[in-house]
Amino acid sequence: MGGAFCAVADDSSAIYYNPAGMSAVKGREFAVSNYAYSTSETKYKKAINSSPFVESEQGWTPGYVGGFYPIGGLSVGYAIFSLDSRQVNQDDKFEDITPESELTAGSLTNYRRTKQENHQYQIYAVGAGLSITKALSLGVTGFGYKRDLVQTEHQMVRFQEFGVTFTDSKLSLANRGMGFIFGALWDGKEWSFGYTYRFAQQLSNTVDLRSDRSFPSDGSVPVEGCEVFSNTVYCQTDWSQDEIQTFKELNPSEYRFGLGYRPSKTFLVAFDILYHEGRKFIYKEPDTGRKFELTRHTLHDVLNVSIGSEMLFGPMVVRAGAFTNFSMLSSVKSNEVSQLTKIDYFGCTAGFGVVSKSGSYTLGGTHQIGQGKAQIISGDRAIQEVEATRTSISLAISQSI
């Protein structure tokens, strides 16, 4: 249903989309789902002498495990699920990029980039929903999160007569935190309205960032942190946890508003609006205590929407939806280098399954198409147009116990 569950959540998804919907669970329930297969492709257009640079990944992604138990008028539940599980192993090499007949000083001749990335983002949640009246329910979910990232990247860029630029970087991050989701749900049977507020707070953060860059000297005085040897400039950045005192995980608060319309027992339409509140990235120098904003890491306010529908045909259920997934990152600017890639996605979902009094079995898929801008070549101001796709297939099982 495109993620439009805030006003209609009444199953295992309620603990995340709207914990107030957990009050609709009347019996013990166990649910499990798994993204059986996921794949993505990001194409940087005209990156290397008008040729595209393509980055792709595929693999198995952990899903969701949870359960619900009614206790009097209260329904409690637990869940463990993955928000992201990404592995990238990229190695690309381009030679003789500029034809010999077109070579001039500064022409790009060779380029190589290798990248390895392992990113895991898991949530551990417990929640409860309580019916206040026949129509009104309230709920709360408390969760802890665990995020681990290891990323290494090497770039070699050769320019005609200007020599070679090398860039090597490695980032290791282990982030832990906790947060809450507060929800309210009013169900008038035909119409329903939902609201949730979600926030998170970092508890611990271990970061190790190392970056090395070398390039031919033009005779000018090198910037701080760089030295010149044999007409080559060497720059090194080595930040550890002690120095990155304010390099904290950015956790934007989220506000979700939902509307549901059920004209009959066999048909449902839902609509959600999700507002992400931006965050600034403030760095504090360990020696001077001076603070300044790292604008390239700033997260901006973003509004996303989703719409979905559900139809029942006897024991069969069919669901479909559409959604936006807009990035909170800053727009890529022409006067800067090494900026973060910004991609805005549009997506659709479809699924079908079997529903009975004892449980449900659903197979579904999600496909996203994105467009954006990037600077894929280290130290180069050139901006590439980006096209991206993401596809995943999931199997969900819910069983009364």
Side-chain angles (χ1 to χ4, degrees):
M1 291 179 57
F5 288 116
C6 185
V8 297
D10 60 359
D11 57 15
S12 59
S13 66
I15 197 169
Y16 179 77
Y17 286 100
N18 190 344
M22 295 171 58
S23 62
V25 180
K26 303 304 181 182
R28 294 185 178 184
E29 184 177 302
F30 177 77
V32 58
S33 68
N34 181 61
Y35 282 102
Y37 181 74
S38 63
T39 179
S40 68
E41 180 179 277
T42 305
K43 179 183 292 186
Y44 302 87
K45 301 172 67 175
K46 297 182 180 180
I48 311 296
N49 193 31
S50 298
S51 298
F53 181 91
V54 179
E55 192 172 83
S56 60
E57 59 178 291
Q58 55 275 322
W60 299 85
T61 304
Y64 169 99
V65 175
F68 295 89
Y69 302 88
I71 304 176
L74 188 71
S75 181
V76 299
Y78 66 92
I80 302 173
F81 54 94
S82 175
L83 293 181
D84 192 14
S85 179
R86 182 169 66 252
Q87 292 187 349
V88 178
N89 190 1
Q90 194 82 15
D91 189 351
D92 297 276
K93 184 177 182 181
F94 298 84
E95 296 181 338
D96 300 324
I97 297 172
T98 303
E100 187 173 349
S101 60
E102 301 177 10
L103 283 175
T104 60
S107 296
L108 181 63
T109 59
N110 298 75
Y111 175 77
R112 181 169 185 176
R113 177 177 180 258
T114 60
K115 179 181 179 180
Q116 289 81 38
E117 179 178 320
N118 188 335
H119 183 212
Q120 305 294 327
Y121 196 174
Q122 294 179 315
I123 299 288
Y124 306 86
V126 294
L130 177 65
S131 296
I132 305 301
T133 67
K134 288 184 177 181
L136 179 63
S137 299
L138 300 177
V140 61
T141 293
F143 64 89
Y145 66 85
K146 173 185 175 183
R147 179 173 179 241
D148 295 292
L149 171 67
V150 177
Q151 182 184 83
T152 60
E153 182 171 341
H154 166 79
Q155 287 197 34
M156 184 280 292
V157 186
R158 182 185 297 274
F159 298 95
Q160 179 72 9
E161 298 184 13
F162 287 179
V164 183
T165 296
F166 290 97
T167 303
D168 293 277
S169 63
K170 181 176 181 179
L171 170 64
S172 299
L173 181 148
N175 187 263
R176 307 292 185 265
M178 65 175 295
F180 292 91
I181 304 172
F182 298 96
L185 178 64
W186 184 86
D187 187 356
K189 300 308 177 184
E190 186 173 337
W191 291 92
S192 58
F193 303 90
Y195 167 77
T196 63
Y197 168 63
R198 177 190 177 197
F199 74 93
Q201 178 63 48
Q202 174 183 283
L203 298 180
S204 67
N205 194 39
T206 302
V207 182
D208 186 25
L209 173 63
R210 182 182 179 88
S211 177
D212 298 283
R213 186 165 182 255
S214 63
F215 52 93
S217 173
D218 60 2
S220 60
V221 178
V223 299
E224 183 179 354
C226 301
E227 297 180 346
V228 179
F229 296 99
S230 302
N231 297 321
T232 300
V233 181
Y234 296 89
C235 304
Q236 183 180 93
T237 300
D238 193 358
W239 289 335
S240 65
Q241 169 64 30
D242 294 336
E243 296 168 310
I244 313 178
Q245 295 178 6
T246 58
F247 269 40
K248 297 181 179 180
E249 179 74 2
L250 296 178
N251 293 293
S253 297
E254 296 179 357
Y255 304 83
R256 186 186 291 265
F257 304 87
L259 172 66
Y261 176 57
R262 191 188 298 271
S264 69
K265 293 183 178 180
T266 60
F267 182 66
L268 167 68
V269 178
F271 177 75
D272 276 14
I273 297 177
L274 180 60
Y275 172 69
H276 306 266
E277 187 178 29
R279 288 288 187 270
K280 293 183 178 180
F281 207 119
I282 306 299
Y283 173 67
K284 179 181 178 182
E285 291 183 335
D287 296 330
T288 65
R290 186 169 65 96
K291 297 181 180 180
F292 56 92
E293 181 182 353
L294 299 180
T295 55
R296 73 176 55 186
H297 296 282
T298 297
L299 300 182
H300 300 273
D301 295 352
V302 164
L303 197 68
N304 281 301
V305 298
S306 58
I307 186 171
S309 63
E310 176 184 278
M311 297 185 67
L312 292 172
F313 302 92
M316 300 290 295
V317 59
V318 178
R319 299 186 179 102
F323 61 94
T324 63
N325 184 10
F326 296 149
S327 173
M328 299 181 70
L329 295 175
S330 300
S331 299
V332 179
K333 303 176 180 63
S334 59
N335 61 342
E336 298 182 15
V337 298
S338 303
Q339 299 173 78
L340 299 177
T341 300
K342 176 182 172 66
I343 304 176
D344 293 325
Y345 287 90
F346 294 87
C348 60
T349 64
F352 67 93
V354 178
V355 179
S356 67
K357 292 182 179 180
S358 61
S360 63
Y361 307 86
T362 307
L363 180 66
T366 301
H367 183 67
Q368 300 183 60
I369 299 175
Q371 291 186 334
K373 293 184 178 181
Q375 287 182 322
I376 191 65
I377 301 178
S378 177
D380 194 343
R381 295 182 185 272
I383 296 176
Q384 294 80 41
E385 299 290 332
V386 181
E387 294 180 350
T389 60
R390 295 176 177 176
T391 303
S392 61
I393 300 173
S394 64
L395 174 65
I397 299 173
S398 179
Q399 187 68 42
S400 299
I401 55 176

